[in-house]
Amino acid sequence: MSERRSVGPVDSMWLNMDRPNNLMVIDGVMWFDETIDLERLRPLIQRRLIERYPVFSQRPVASLIPFGTPSWEDDPDFDLGRHVRRATLPAPGDLESLQRYVEDRMSVPFDHAHPMWDFTLVDGYLSGCALVSRFHHSLADGMALTQVLLSLTNDSPGADLEETEASEPSPHHNGGVMGAARAMLGTGTQTVRGGLRTMSLLPELVKRTRAMDLLELGWRAGMVADKLLLGHNPQTPFSGEPGIEKRAVWSGPRTVREVKRVSRLTGATVNDVLVAAVSGAVNTYLRDRGADPVDLTTMVPVNVRPPDQPLPRELGNKFALVYLKMPTGLRPPLQRVAECKRRMDLIKVSPEAVITFGLNTLIGRIEPHVSNRIVNFFSDKAIGVTTNVIGPQQQRYVAGVPIAGAVGWVPGSGRQALGVCIFSLAGIVRVGFKVDAALVPDVEKLVHAFDEDLDELLRIAAHPL
């Protein structure tokens, strides 16, 4: 039976935000030391994405009524081959070659006549291959899409082959969903759900606000309003009108265990430490470009979906964006960590997440041309988005092949030029940097500065005074 449903207001906002110079696409890549069998991968995607979540076989359709709500409808010409492709990396097939391939894909918009997602299995990367993923933000938030992506993984090489017949796809893409879900409880899906975490402040906020009196809550809401309406970023080398071309790079691997040494020394979280290292990298980059180091604001996604519940079949966006003023003006590394912790702790007891999520819902109900102006107003107060996703900390496999590494990138909007994605998997953390190629032409310097800053923090933790 054909399925049609309205696009939610927040999803509609992301659907209408695409611009040639800032596509609303969440990009990611996994790489492997062995090659993957595409004929084993395709049915895995069919079972765990298409069968479970209708939006992966649906396209957005504009309303026939002026200013009406768009809808998701089944793609009558749905073809899995259109969304799962194969490519070969140009020689020499090294890290830089893979980065260039990802960058080239980043500027390609989705065709709204078909579902807005795709995978490309890229052969020729070192001794193995890579799997490049792209999802339009209107399908779901980054946390949900990461969970969907990691649902393709298993905790053992042969688990996907051991799935029972109940999990096999039916001839119709909407059939057999409940049977598939029940049959796949042992395939790693729940492991992913249990191991995947991101910044989730809503339960803590609700608990905190119950203890607040109305006067304090009103005062905090007023502070948030001032922040949203009056905040701004100074002019820096990250300022300007973004172009179409993007750069996508990532840092070297670090073990979560070694980063935790800094956390224990400072009393900060792992996220605080890594954001402090990113802040240090920006500080170094500003000084190298002859600019005065100043504190710059980034947007941080906050999950407002109940963390202990499975994803709904409809997916959708259930997150808020809050402003974090990074201590990019501070040079002493431990001072930056302490300041990151202090500022993040303030956000955790602020009603900002609730306010901005409600604001996004309201914006999504407004006529697109007007809503885009409002979105740009708020987006231009930040240099980009910084997100932290903690995946399962055990080895994972895709179609029987162990994942050697993974990283992702977040989209920017308006005049934003710097996206940062902290991603950890199997005890290893990497940081993906997505920048505008014209405004930040030497992004390698930014990555090198991050590695050096984190090295310094690790040295301090290894030999504390």
Side-chain angles (χ1 to χ4, degrees):
M1 180 181 295
S2 179
E3 188 169 333
R4 185 184 178 108
R5 59 190 174 86
S6 295
V7 178
V10 180
D11 304 336
S12 182
M13 180 187 75
W14 291 106
L15 183 63
N16 294 323
M17 279 172 59
D18 265 333
R19 295 293 179 273
N21 62 346
N22 263 329
L23 298 177
M24 295 299 104
V25 177
I26 298 171
D27 300 276
V29 62
M30 296 179 183
W31 57 92
F32 309 82
D33 294 332
E34 307 169 35
T35 57
I36 286 179
D37 181 358
L38 184 59
E39 298 311 310
R40 184 171 169 179
L41 178 64
R42 278 187 176 132
L44 187 64
I45 293 172
Q46 173 72 34
R47 289 193 302 268
R48 299 190 184 180
L49 269 66
I50 311 301
E51 294 288 329
R52 289 182 176 185
Y53 308 108
V55 76
F56 288 112
S57 56
Q58 294 180 325
R59 61 184 183 179
V61 179
S63 173
L64 298 177
I65 305 172
F67 308 116
T69 303
S71 298
W72 296 114
E73 73 169 18
D74 293 343
D75 179 3
D77 190 30
F78 180 77
D79 177 9
L80 185 61
R82 182 183 292 115
H83 302 276
V84 184
R85 308 182 183 93
R86 188 164 214 151
T88 300
L89 202 63
D94 56 4
L95 173 63
E96 185 175 344
S97 300
L98 180 59
Q99 289 176 339
R100 295 293 178 268
Y101 180 86
V102 172
E103 291 166 356
D104 289 343
R105 295 291 300 159
M106 279 184 170
S107 59
V108 179
F110 282 115
D111 181 359
H112 285 213
H114 302 289
M116 297 187 295
W117 62 275
D118 62 44
F119 287 99
T120 306
L121 181 59
V122 182
D123 296 317
Y125 176 58
L126 300 178
S127 62
C129 65
L131 184 62
V132 177
S133 60
R134 305 182 72 230
F135 299 95
H136 197 278
H137 213 317
S138 59
L139 306 180
D141 54 80
M143 175 64 179
L145 288 172
T146 302
Q147 185 170 330
V148 167
L149 179 63
L150 290 177
S151 74
L152 297 176
T153 72
N154 294 101
D155 55 9
S156 64
D160 61 306
L161 297 178
E162 298 167 2
E163 292 172 10
T164 67
E165 291 184 2
S167 68
E168 291 298 322
S170 71
H172 305 288
H173 69 267
N174 287 326
V177 174
M178 294 308 295
R182 286 192 296 269
M184 294 184 51
L185 291 180
T187 64
T189 303
Q190 290 197 337
T191 303
V192 169
R193 184 182 301 140
L196 184 61
R197 303 194 306 280
T198 188
M199 184 174 167
S200 180
L201 306 183
L202 201 56
E204 184 172 350
L205 177 61
V206 171
K207 180 179 178 181
R208 169 66 179 152
T209 53
R210 286 173 182 165
M212 289 181 184
D213 57 34
L214 293 178
L215 181 62
E216 183 180 359
L217 181 58
W219 176 78
R220 290 186 182 276
M223 294 292 289
V224 171
D226 285 346
K227 186 179 181 182
L228 294 176
L229 297 175
L230 303 179
H232 71 282
N233 264 323
Q235 289 291 313
T236 70
F238 295 100
S239 304
E241 187 66 29
I244 293 176
E245 186 180 355
K246 307 300 176 188
R247 295 293 314 279
V249 296
W250 56 90
S251 69
R254 306 297 180 128
T255 66
V256 174
R257 179 180 299 177
E258 62 183 341
V259 179
K260 283 184 176 179
R261 294 188 192 128
V262 185
S263 299
R264 287 191 292 269
L265 174 67
T266 59
T269 67
V270 169
N271 183 63
D272 295 334
V273 173
L274 293 170
V275 172
V278 171
S279 301
V282 172
N283 176 284
T284 299
Y285 186 82
L286 291 174
R287 288 188 287 107
D288 286 351
R289 293 285 294 270
D292 293 329
V294 291
D295 285 358
L296 298 175
T297 298
T298 187
M299 287 178 157
V300 176
V302 177
N303 180 34
V304 300
R305 201 186 301 273
D308 57 345
Q309 294 183 13
L311 291 175
R313 291 188 65 221
E314 298 77 16
L315 293 179
N317 285 272
K318 296 290 183 182
F319 80 109
L321 285 166
V322 298
Y323 290 118
L324 170 66
K325 180 166 282 192
M326 297 188 296
T328 49
L330 297 177
R331 193 166 183 179
L334 290 182
Q335 188 178 348
R336 280 199 312 274
V337 174
E339 193 60 20
C340 270
K341 172 178 167 52
R342 187 187 72 83
R343 295 178 187 184
M344 290 296 292
D345 287 347
L346 286 175
I347 290 176
K348 292 175 183 177
V349 294
S350 164
E352 184 175 350
V354 174
I355 292 173
T356 57
F357 181 69
L359 183 62
N360 286 345
T361 303
L362 178 63
I363 292 172
R365 299 182 187 279
I366 300 174
E367 192 275 329
H369 289 90
V370 178
S371 69
N372 284 334
R373 289 179 178 272
I374 298 173
V375 168
N376 287 340
F377 171 78
F378 289 110
S379 297
D380 291 348
K381 297 178 182 296
I383 61 172
V385 177
T386 300
T387 185
N388 177 19
V389 177
I390 305 172
Q393 296 305 294
Q394 300 78 34
Q395 179 64 62
R396 306 295 296 179
Y397 301 80
V398 175
V401 179
I403 300 172
V407 73
W409 298 273
V410 293
S413 57
R415 294 164 64 87
Q416 295 177 349
L418 173 63
V420 177
C421 181
I422 302 167
F423 192 93
S424 66
L425 182 68
I428 300 296
V429 61
R430 292 178 174 85
V431 178
F433 295 85
K434 177 182 177 181
V435 301
D436 183 78
L439 297 176
V440 190
D442 46 0
V443 66
E444 290 82 6
K445 291 184 178 180
L446 189 64
V447 179
H448 181 67
F450 169 81
D451 285 329
E452 285 194 328
D453 198 88
L454 191 52
D455 281 339
E456 185 174 3
L457 285 170
L458 295 175
R459 284 193 296 269
I460 293 172
H463 305 286
L465 296 178

